[in-house]
Amino acid sequence: MKLSMWMIANRLASFDPELNIEENAPAVLKSARLAHATNCVYVYPEKNGIVCTGEGGSLRIPNISIAQGFEIIQSVFDYFEDWSELVLQSIRKRDYQQVVDLAWQVFNNPVVLFDGNNKVLGISRQYPEDSLDEEWAYLSRYGYSSLNALQQLKYSYDTMKFLHRGFEFYHAPGQSDVRYGGITYCMYCNEAVCGRMNLLAKERSLNYGDYQLMEYISGFLEPSMGQFYYESKLNNANVLYNLLFGLPFAQGDLEFQMDIQHWNAGGCYQLALIQVNGHQEPQAMDYNLNLLQRLLMQQVAGAAVLRKNNCILLLANRELAKDTMFNRLIASLASSNPIVIGFSLPCQGIQKAGYLYKQAEYAIIRGTAESPDQIVFEFFDYAVDYIIETSSLECCANACIPQLVTLWEMNRSSGDELFQTLKYYLDFDCSISRTSAALFTHRNTVLYRIRKIRDYFNDTLDDIYIKNYCRISIQTLELYKKRGADKTERMSASGTKAAARRR
């Protein structure tokens, strides 16, 4: 491995050498010598110290003998030979964290290695997450860059410069999540970004020797990172996309995808729609969405994460809005990324998932219009307006309050009386006596039923919005049932007439 005077000086920083080195001193030096030789460092005594001179400049170490000085300078060459071999071994094994650990030994500054999707493959473990800035904490915690940091750098620099192969120097933007500047090296494979290494100037200022070492490491990393990038491309999940948007798909493909996800066809499903805000160039928007998509795939277990335009769709087999861990993640993401989130209602059964996107989208549209400073919106809070505005009876029926839908389905399947009891109870302004009279049922029986109904609603039945939501849901479901019966009768009548004509 060939060194430059800057690389030698950086390695000898603890000796506090006096430097007289050209800014772009080349990396052509092969070893130390006690006499002049081509592409070698010439070491000689001067006063009470030694001078080391080579292509591009010199350095002086005081208070040291020539024997000690020569041994120290030669040890730098020996060290880098061993270090270079360890780097190559780590790259061959794809131990990217070890590559970063080795990089820290020569840079003595924080280092981060990303793949082509800005996923962290290695980060200097000498620095806890709270030791640098908000972006370092985000990288340490989630293993991805935040969209806010990318946006802040974009506004300070030409985005395209950071997408060119090679290294770029950058300063930390003022008033941002990024406090430390440094250098970034972008790696390419087959005309696609396959990786990036960042070196931050925390412990000392960076110089040309750091640039040279970054280029050296990245030159060996690039082929490995390119292969790794293409091997780690996302699996195709089009069947779930088609399900969500009413497009045709094979039932067998859906069953196969559900087996992969470990989902139950009759389970509870909910959709979170994450929308990236702000005006961005198409290339930057696409890059940021890919980054966010991969982060969510890593952080949210058991969920399918899909893309649509400037949105991320996260479909899970549980009620995400009630998932404490997911909501903590969303809060953290929202603090570092320009996003808003809309939650659909939960639905029973994967086949009903086709109604969830419109619900989550409506929640964002209505929510941001009414509360522009808010970040998270639940369709539940806007469902009454949606039912009134939506022309599709199918969409209305699937937007009804879930607890009531449960009672309605129990009534249809087994004749359970809770749905009818709630209907009369609301019609008579929650009067037990009038409800009992209308149902020709003993008061105590009605009281028992109402207690069971309240259990379904978690004692929220006295809330005005819940009452209104229940009333419009009852009307919607009864109309839906009637229209379904009418449709069945029309189909039956049509079939009878056709049979008569054939006779």
Side-chain angles (χ1 to χ4, degrees), residues 258-303:
M258 293 188 68
D259 285 341
I260 293 174
Q261 302 286 153
H262 301 292
W263 287 354
N264 182 340
C268 175
Y269 293 89
Q270 189 171 32
L271 181 74
L273 179 63
I274 303 171
Q275 181 176 294
V276 177
N277 288 337
H279 298 289
Q280 302 178 29
E281 298 170 3
Q283 185 178 10
M285 175 65 81
D286 185 67
Y287 182 78
N288 293 341
L289 285 166
N290 282 338
L291 170 61
L292 187 59
Q293 180 181 14
R294 285 159 178 79
L295 187 151
L296 289 166
M297 289 183 68
Q298 184 185 61
Q299 295 291 327
V300 186

Side-chain angles (χ1 to χ4, degrees), residues 284-336:
M285 175 65 81
D286 185 67
Y287 182 78
N288 293 341
L289 285 166
N290 282 338
L291 170 61
L292 187 59
Q293 180 181 14
R294 285 159 178 79
L295 187 151
L296 289 166
M297 289 183 68
Q298 184 185 61
Q299 295 291 327
V300 186
V305 186
L306 311 172
R307 278 266 316 264
K308 179 178 172 61
N309 300 329
N310 67 328
C311 298
I312 301 294
L313 287 67
L314 198 148
L315 179 65
N317 60 335
R318 58 188 183 278
E319 290 193 49
L320 287 167
K322 295 181 179 178
D323 187 324
T324 302
M325 294 297 292
F326 180 72
N327 280 283
R328 285 177 183 169
L329 172 63
I330 287 298
S332 181
L333 290 176
S335 68
S336 301

Side-chain angles (χ1 to χ4, degrees), residues 83-277:
W83 174 87
S84 177
E85 182 58 33
L86 289 174
V87 169
L88 288 173
Q89 290 176 11
S90 300
I91 291 173
R92 292 190 194 104
K93 294 187 295 184
R94 291 189 180 175
D95 188 348
Y96 298 122
Q97 180 58 56
Q98 179 65 18
V99 173
V100 170
D101 291 340
L102 290 166
W104 181 84
Q105 292 179 15
V106 295
F107 293 126
N108 293 118
N109 264 317
V111 181
V112 189
L113 177 64
F114 303 92
D115 70 4
N117 300 312
N118 262 32
K119 176 183 177 182
V120 174
L121 299 180
I123 189 168
S124 294
R125 294 179 283 196
Q126 292 78 6
Y127 302 92
E129 68 176 52
D130 60 349
S131 61
L132 275 83
D133 51 31
E134 292 183 25
E135 178 62 8
W136 187 265
Y138 192 89
L139 292 171
S140 301
R141 192 176 305 132
Y142 298 116
Y144 281 89
S145 294
S146 72
L147 299 189
N148 273 2
L150 295 176
Q151 288 298 317
Q152 289 157 5
L153 288 171
K154 174 190 171 183
Y155 291 136
S156 301
Y157 295 91
D158 178 1
T159 303
M160 296 307 297
K161 290 181 69 176
F162 289 94
L163 297 178
H164 290 163
R165 183 178 181 273
F167 61 78
E168 288 289 341
F169 183 82
Y170 66 94
H171 295 284
Q175 302 296 318
S176 75
D177 296 345
V178 182
R179 190 184 308 164
Y180 295 95
I183 52 178
T184 180
Y185 193 102
C186 184
M187 291 169 266
Y188 265 76
C189 181
N190 294 338
E191 300 182 354
V193 176
C194 63
R196 180 180 298 277
M197 179 176 278
N198 287 358
L199 172 63
L200 308 182
K202 181 181 187 295
E203 311 298 347
R204 63 170 177 82
S205 299
L206 305 181
N207 55 51
Y208 203 67
D210 297 307
Y211 304 166
Q212 292 164 325
L213 278 173
M214 282 279 281
E215 193 165 29
Y216 179 85
I217 298 172
S218 299
F220 289 112
L221 272 172
E222 207 162 34
S224 174
M225 297 287 286
Q227 184 179 358
F228 180 78
Y229 173 72
Y230 286 109
E231 288 177 1
S232 60
K233 276 194 169 182
L234 294 173
N235 292 328
N236 191 343
N238 281 342
V239 65
L240 295 179
Y241 183 94
N242 292 354
L243 171 69
L244 287 171
F245 294 100
L247 301 174
F249 61 87
Q251 187 63 32
D253 290 343
L254 176 60
E255 292 171 359
F256 178 74
Q257 185 64 40
M258 293 188 68
D259 285 341
I260 293 174
Q261 302 286 153
H262 301 292
W263 287 354
N264 182 340
C268 175
Y269 293 89
Q270 189 171 32
L271 181 74
L273 179 63
I274 303 171
Q275 181 176 294
V276 177
N277 288 337

Side-chain angles (χ1 to χ4, degrees), residues 486-502:
D486 289 346
K487 183 178 180 180
T488 302
E489 289 176 6
R490 287 196 300 272
M491 291 176 64
S492 177
S494 176
T496 302
K497 290 178 182 178
R501 284 196 297 271
R502 286 195 297 272

Side-chain angles (χ1 to χ4, degrees), residues 220-493:
F220 289 112
L221 272 172
E222 207 162 34
S224 174
M225 297 287 286
Q227 184 179 358
F228 180 78
Y229 173 72
Y230 286 109
E231 288 177 1
S232 60
K233 276 194 169 182
L234 294 173
N235 292 328
N236 191 343
N238 281 342
V239 65
L240 295 179
Y241 183 94
N242 292 354
L243 171 69
L244 287 171
F245 294 100
L247 301 174
F249 61 87
Q251 187 63 32
D253 290 343
L254 176 60
E255 292 171 359
F256 178 74
Q257 185 64 40
M258 293 188 68
D259 285 341
I260 293 174
Q261 302 286 153
H262 301 292
W263 287 354
N264 182 340
C268 175
Y269 293 89
Q270 189 171 32
L271 181 74
L273 179 63
I274 303 171
Q275 181 176 294
V276 177
N277 288 337
H279 298 289
Q280 302 178 29
E281 298 170 3
Q283 185 178 10
M285 175 65 81
D286 185 67
Y287 182 78
N288 293 341
L289 285 166
N290 282 338
L291 170 61
L292 187 59
Q293 180 181 14
R294 285 159 178 79
L295 187 151
L296 289 166
M297 289 183 68
Q298 184 185 61
Q299 295 291 327
V300 186
V305 186
L306 311 172
R307 278 266 316 264
K308 179 178 172 61
N309 300 329
N310 67 328
C311 298
I312 301 294
L313 287 67
L314 198 148
L315 179 65
N317 60 335
R318 58 188 183 278
E319 290 193 49
L320 287 167
K322 295 181 179 178
D323 187 324
T324 302
M325 294 297 292
F326 180 72
N327 280 283
R328 285 177 183 169
L329 172 63
I330 287 298
S332 181
L333 290 176
S335 68
S336 301
N337 300 282
I339 59 175
V340 291
I341 302 97
F343 285 104
S344 72
L345 290 178
C347 72
Q348 287 298 132
I350 190 66
Q351 297 294 346
K352 293 184 179 181
Y355 300 98
L356 303 185
Y357 174 78
K358 289 183 179 179
Q359 294 177 7
E361 183 184 44
Y362 187 85
I364 290 177
I365 293 171
R366 285 297 307 275
T368 52
E370 295 181 9
S371 307
D373 295 331
Q374 195 171 320
I375 294 170
V376 178
F377 306 97
E378 294 192 37
F379 174 78
F380 187 95
D381 299 327
Y382 310 98
V384 172
D385 292 342
Y386 178 85
I387 293 172
I388 294 171
E389 292 179 6
T390 301
S391 58
S392 166
L393 185 57
E394 286 278 347
C395 289
C396 289
N398 283 278
C400 292
I401 189 165
Q403 299 93 322
L404 186 73
V405 172
T406 300
L407 301 183
W408 180 63
E409 290 178 343
M410 288 166 56
N411 177 259
R412 294 178 68 194
S413 63
S414 63
D416 187 276
E417 296 292 336
L418 294 183
F419 178 80
Q420 289 296 328
T421 300
L422 177 58
K423 175 186 174 182
Y424 282 102
Y425 182 66
L426 293 174
D427 285 345
F428 292 116
D429 295 325
C430 302
S431 168
I432 297 294
S433 57
R434 293 172 66 190
T435 303
S436 300
L439 290 171
F440 301 102
T441 304
H442 193 277
R443 174 186 176 86
N444 289 344
T445 302
V446 173
L447 281 170
Y448 171 74
R449 291 178 185 173
I450 295 299
R451 281 197 297 270
K452 289 185 66 177
I453 291 169
R454 287 184 178 277
D455 286 341
Y456 278 100
F457 284 85
N458 295 318
D459 284 326
T460 62
L461 202 53
D462 294 326
D463 182 87
I464 294 175
Y465 178 78
I466 300 295
K467 286 181 181 178
N468 290 336
Y469 194 0
C470 283
R471 288 189 177 101
I472 197 169
S473 294
I474 289 170
Q475 293 174 323
T476 300
L477 292 171
E478 290 187 330
L479 178 61
Y480 180 73
K481 180 181 179 182
K482 181 181 178 182
R483 290 287 174 85
D486 289 346
K487 183 178 180 180
T488 302
E489 289 176 6
R490 287 196 300 272
M491 291 176 64
S492 177

